[in-house]
């Protein structure tokens, strides 16, 4: 079988197509969760903790050039090394929410699946030596 034929067989398998659809939907769903975290949850969390904007929590690790504002975006643009732990907190909350939502989805899908009855176990084939011994026994009984 040629390489192209093997690739075609691989690419059209159901699992590969399902995976591709899952990745596309997951990417779009990730953007929704990003928006929920950044636009809905983090502002409320920031207000609870004293009107803190998590996106601007950082520690400057290098020298700041004169005339550069102390905003995170401006510091990054100027090439100043910063430890942006506020962004990390936002991403960590984002991940926790996304992981919880996916857990709940998988839990519901598993609940909706019908439990398939176990296939009856086929009796193992009788070994050839046992069959021969039975034939000998039957011949002796006659």
């Amino acid at each position: 079988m040629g390489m192209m034929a093997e690739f075609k067989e691989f690419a059209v398998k159901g699992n590969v197509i399902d995976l591709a659809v899952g990745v596309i939907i997951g990417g779009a769903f990730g953007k929704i969760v990003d928006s929920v975290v950044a636009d809905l949850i983090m502002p409320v969390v920031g207000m609870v903790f004293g009107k803190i904007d998590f996106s601007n929590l950082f520690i400057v690790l290098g020298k700041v050039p004169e005339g550069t504002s102390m905003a995170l975006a401006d510091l990054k643009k100027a090439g100043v090394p910063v430890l942006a732990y506020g962004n990390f907190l936002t991403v960590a909350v984002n991940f926790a929410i996304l992981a919880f939502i996916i857990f709940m989805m998988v839990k519901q899908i598993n609940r909706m699946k019908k439990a398939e009855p176990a296939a009856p176990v086929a009796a193992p084939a009788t070994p050839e030596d046992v069959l021969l011994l039975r034939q000998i026994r039957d011949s002796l009984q006659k």
Side-chain angles (χ1 to χ4, degrees):
M1 180 182 299
M3 183 185 276
M4 289 304 288
E6 286 182 52
F7 178 74
K8 181 180 176 185
E9 182 181 331
F10 168 77
V12 296
K13 283 185 181 178
N15 292 341
V16 173
I17 294 171
D18 291 345
L19 178 63
V21 170
V23 168
I24 292 168
I25 290 174
F29 188 69
K31 290 180 182 179
I32 291 171
V33 172
D34 284 341
S35 176
V36 167
V37 170
D39 300 330
L40 302 177
I41 294 174
M42 292 312 279
V44 172
V45 171
M47 190 175 73
V48 168
F49 289 107
K51 297 186 180 183
I52 296 174
D53 180 11
F54 282 98
S55 63
N56 283 321
L57 293 178
F58 59 90
I59 298 171
V60 178
L61 300 175
K63 184 177 178 186
V64 179
E66 281 190 42
T68 304
S69 72
M70 291 301 287
L72 180 61
D74 294 335
L75 290 170
K76 284 186 174 184
K77 187 184 275 187
V80 178
V82 291
L83 183 69
Y85 64 92
N87 284 340
F88 173 76
L89 290 174
T90 302
V91 170
V93 169
N94 187 348
F95 172 77
I97 292 170
L98 186 60
F100 179 73
I101 290 171
I102 290 174
F103 167 74
M104 294 305 289
M105 287 173 48
V106 169
K107 187 175 177 180
Q108 291 301 320
I109 290 169
N110 286 339
R111 188 187 317 174
M112 290 188 315
K113 284 184 180 177
K114 292 181 181 178
E116 297 179 16
V121 178
T126 307
E128 189 175 333
D129 57 342
V130 173
L131 291 175
L132 289 173
L133 287 172
R134 286 181 184 167
Q135 285 178 352
I136 294 170
R137 178 196 64 197
D138 291 345
S139 295
L140 290 174
Q141 285 179 349
K142 290 181 185 179

